Amino acid sequence: MTHSPASQQYREKQAGDLQPGDFVFLPGDGPAEEIGTIEVQNDDYGVPALLLVTTVDGAAVRVALGSSVPVGDGVSAGLGTSDASAVGVPESEAATGSSTSAEDDLDPEAGPAVVVPPRPETPPALAPVPEELALIPEPEGTPEAVVRAAVANHKGKNGVQVLAERLAKGINTKSGSCLRDLSNLAFDLCIVLRDPDNALRVADLLNVLPFDGNPDRWASIERALALSSFICREGGQTERAAVYEKLLRAHESEETDPFKARIAAKVRQRALNEPNLYDKEIFRAIDNGNHEAEREWRFLRLESLLFLRAHGGSETLGEEELGRRIGIELDAVRA
């Protein structure tokens, strides 16, 4: 007799909530099988899209992350024919797939099979404590005053002056465009005008803002934190740099579901190991003799390298190599 979800205890579970040890019904009319491993597969844009679910018996099925999956109860893997006899299940029924559930004959005090949730691939980052946050000084005056003071010594520099004039009208930290202007101003002050002290004062207006779940706003804060880490490390302020680096990673530990945390860690590690360093765009600009375009792409590469360094490097780029590459890009964009 064949098994199906209708003939066994059956319920649905979100694909993202599956864990090794769960029993899942594969396509067809077989019994629920125990999951051995789960692998996240990305789409062509690098976004998690599918789970490759492999059972302990070697069967595999691909499941879309947003779908519901039929799951049921079952006997822990490795319970073969001889094992079935040991717990009171006739070998004939174990071999032929009788509808009698093996777990009905198990000792009720034994309990269900233990499901061990997977651990995140990287340990969660810890948010800085108040004593560490105290290393970031309070702004001198209003945010608008900080911006005006930061550009006071750069008369005639149209780029930063335009940004400062726009920001001086009023800084709204809920506005993504306002945060981008602050981040751009900090980068221009540090990288282009070689004024790291004022760049850090501007960046600190962003650095104390928490992650609010909005990727667009967070991207500007993330850039400011990476830049601030770089400025402080170059200036010998390693403890303050470490605070910015903790703030950069703090939101990565907010996911409490172990499986979702593992997916996020896997995606994050892949992005760190395979960063977009704009090689094709830079080589194309060089081939075309377009020096301005080359500089703009190198600026973006520099930002990526600063982020990687603030994040502690990756499996493919260590801190020493990142430092070397950052030096090369700084010379290129400042030339």
Side-chain angles (χ1 to χ4, degrees):
M1 178 177 177
T2 60
H3 292 263
S4 67
S7 64
Q8 296 189 11
Q9 293 185 5
Y10 162 82
R11 63 187 184 280
E12 289 190 342
K13 193 172 186 178
Q14 287 295 310
D17 294 331
L18 290 175
Q19 302 180 46
D22 286 349
F23 286 82
V24 61
F25 290 100
L26 302 180
D29 291 329
E33 297 191 26
E34 185 179 3
I35 296 175
T37 61
I38 301 175
E39 178 185 348
V40 180
Q41 295 185 338
N42 292 351
D43 62 17
D44 291 339
Y45 294 95
V47 178
L50 294 172
L51 299 180
L52 177 61
V53 177
T54 305
T55 70
V56 294
D57 292 329
V61 62
R62 294 191 302 169
V63 184
L65 268 176
S67 64
S68 297
V69 182
V71 297
D73 300 319
V75 182
S76 182
L79 191 62
T81 301
S82 59
D83 296 313
S85 299
V87 295
V89 180
E91 290 191 12
S92 59
E93 291 185 3
T96 59
S98 169
S99 61
T100 301
S101 173
E103 68 178 9
D104 291 339
D105 295 313
L106 288 170
D107 181 357
E109 296 182 359
V114 177
V115 176
V116 180
R119 296 180 302 171
E121 294 193 353
T122 56
L126 300 178
V129 298
E131 291 78 9
E132 292 174 315
L133 290 174
L135 294 173
I136 302 177
E138 293 288 334
E140 299 176 1
T142 65
E144 292 80 7
V146 171
V147 167
R148 285 193 292 267
V151 300
N153 294 328
H154 300 291
K155 303 293 186 182
K157 303 298 182 180
N158 290 337
V160 295
Q161 292 298 332
V162 169
L163 286 171
E165 289 175 12
R166 192 155 61 223
L167 289 165
K169 296 176 182 177
I171 294 175
N172 177 10
T173 57
K174 297 296 183 182
S175 166
S177 60
C178 182
L179 298 188
R180 279 195 299 275
D181 283 346
L182 281 170
S183 180
N184 287 337
L185 178 58
F187 262 88
D188 284 350
L189 285 168
C190 178
I191 306 303
V192 179
L193 300 179
R194 307 186 189 216
D195 186 355
D197 292 337
N198 278 313
L200 191 55
R201 293 186 183 99
V202 172
D204 276 342
L205 299 176
L206 292 169
N207 292 334
V208 295
L209 300 177
F211 177 67
D212 65 357
N214 185 300
D216 182 56
R217 286 196 290 269
W218 178 247
S220 297
I221 300 169
E222 197 173 60
R223 290 176 73 218
L225 287 166
L227 178 68
S228 301
S229 167
F230 168 73
I231 292 172
C232 288
R233 290 207 174 274
E234 292 296 300
Q237 301 182 62
T238 55
E239 291 185 356
R240 185 172 171 183
V243 176
Y244 294 126
E245 291 157 11
K246 280 190 174 184
L247 289 169
L248 181 74
R249 301 190 302 269
H251 75 283
E252 296 174 2
S253 61
E254 292 180 354
E255 179 56 65
T256 57
D257 180 87
F259 181 66
K260 292 179 181 178
R262 186 171 72 89
I263 291 178
K266 185 181 287 289
V267 172
R268 186 164 53 247
Q269 191 61 54
R270 179 173 294 181
L272 292 170
N273 291 343
E274 303 173 7
N276 184 1
L277 297 180
Y278 305 97
D279 294 336
K280 293 181 180 179
E281 293 84 354
I282 291 171
F283 290 140
R284 186 181 302 117
I286 293 173
D287 290 341
N288 294 334
N290 190 336
H291 301 298
E292 184 59 30
E294 179 192 349
R295 182 177 179 276
E296 291 177 359
W297 287 117
R298 284 187 178 276
F299 208 105
L300 291 174
R301 176 191 275 179
L302 176 61
E303 291 181 18
S304 296
L305 293 171
L306 291 178
F307 170 79
L308 285 169
R309 186 181 182 186
H311 206 282
S314 69
E315 295 171 353
T316 56
L317 289 170
E319 289 196 39
E320 183 176 346
E321 174 63 13
L322 285 169
R324 186 186 71 83
R325 293 195 182 198
I326 286 170
I328 292 173
E329 299 310 319
L330 277 173
D331 290 342
V333 300
R334 286 172 171 173

